[in-house]
Amino acid sequence: MMRGLLALVLGAWVALPAAADPCESVAFDGADFTVCRIDVARDDLRLFRADADGNPYGSFRALDRALAQRGERLGVAMNGGMYHPDRAPVGLYVEDHVEGAGIVTREGPGNFGLLPNGVFCVQQGRAAVIESRAFAADPPDCAYATQSGPMLVLGGALHPRFLEDGTSLYRRNGVGVSADGSTVYLAISDEPVNFHHFARLFRDALDVPDALFLDGNISRLYSRGDGRHDGGWPMGPILGTVEPLDGAG
């Protein structure tokens, strides 16, 4: 019953005109989330980490100021993956076709090393979430890419280590891609949830076959359309859409 009602809500949301705010509040299985729908062919989706001098942006505000100098502005954005204390990416990072950090395929500590993990890749007119070892074996040409972990959904299945009654509860954010690669869903929990709950949002509510966890606890969202601007600790990579400063086009 819950899934049927949610499908009706999301169906109406997907039918909204392109000018509508891409982010919507979604209630799923007793928790509140915000989900932003990105049309990869229409929306300019990029990754950002540092300015030309190598100084990390660290915040939505700093990035938006830098974009304004080029006649652009942020539309929708969220923290785009895990990072070291100096805010350098933990795994693969590609920005405007330039690789800034290499892929990591070994198992390790923490959420990033909870295999399978994956890579979010933006190409011309499409996007994908790809398991890291599969990516390393046959790397696609990504204009932008960020590696994180664990995978939330892989081939329609939840990560095998997720427990329905898991007690690790955090605000979490992640990214999922539609089966045809045309639509990217940026999602953030607006209250603490476990991995199993968050992954089911992507699989059962958004109907995406592959989704990737980006981070937890420090998770935050920027949405110009509804005035949302979450604050918090300095960020590493930032994933977001860019639009003309005057809002046209």
Side-chain angles (χ1 to χ4, degrees):
M1 182 67 175
M2 164 91 62
R3 185 173 179 181
L5 290 173
L6 187 57
L8 290 174
V9 172
L10 290 174
W13 171 43
V14 169
L16 288 174
D21 185 350
C23 300
E24 292 286 340
S25 296
V26 174
F28 174 69
D29 200 10
D32 292 329
F33 301 85
T34 299
V35 179
C36 306
R37 179 182 183 271
I38 309 300
D39 182 331
V40 186
R42 184 192 69 219
D43 301 320
D44 187 357
L45 181 61
R46 309 180 200 171
L47 278 157
F48 303 91
R49 192 192 73 82
D51 63 22
D53 296 321
N55 301 309
Y57 293 114
S59 70
F60 300 129
R61 193 177 310 279
L63 175 55
D64 201 37
R65 283 199 299 262
L67 287 171
Q69 296 176 4
R70 307 201 297 256
E72 299 173 322
R73 68 185 189 185
L74 269 182
V76 172
M78 62 171 42
N79 48 297
M82 298 175 188
Y83 51 93
H84 296 291
D86 64 356
R87 285 174 270 167
V90 172
L92 178 72
Y93 182 79
V94 177
E95 184 176 329
D96 198 13
H97 297 279
V98 177
E99 184 176 299
I103 195 163
V104 177
T105 58
R106 64 183 178 275
E107 190 170 7
N111 291 328
F112 182 93
L114 186 63
L115 301 186
N117 59 17
V119 176
F120 172 64
C121 167
V122 179
Q123 299 175 295
Q124 182 66 40
R126 71 183 313 276
V129 171
I130 306 168
E131 189 273 328
S132 292
R133 291 179 176 176
F135 186 101
D138 186 18
D141 181 18
C142 304
Y144 297 90
T146 183
Q147 184 184 10
S148 191
M151 291 285 290
L152 295 169
V153 186
L154 179 60
L158 301 188
H159 192 289
R161 298 282 295 276
F162 294 168
L163 301 176
E164 187 171 2
D165 58 354
T167 58
S168 178
L169 304 178
Y170 289 100
R171 291 186 66 204
R172 303 179 187 274
N173 72 295
V175 58
V177 180
S178 63
D180 64 1
S182 67
T183 304
V184 169
Y185 294 97
L186 305 180
I188 185 169
S189 64
D190 292 322
E191 58 189 276
V193 295
N194 65 22
F195 270 125
H196 194 277
H197 194 163
F198 192 48
R200 286 189 295 107
L201 170 78
F202 283 96
R203 185 191 66 179
D204 299 341
L206 302 178
D207 194 29
V208 300
D210 301 291
L212 180 65
F213 178 65
L214 291 176
D215 216 332
N217 198 26
I218 64 99
S219 299
R220 69 187 90 153
L221 178 69
Y222 176 93
S223 175
R224 180 177 296 276
D226 61 14
R228 178 167 172 172
H229 186 166
D230 298 344
W233 295 100
M235 291 177 281
I238 298 172
L239 173 63
T241 62
V242 175
E243 56 190 43
L245 187 59
D246 61 6

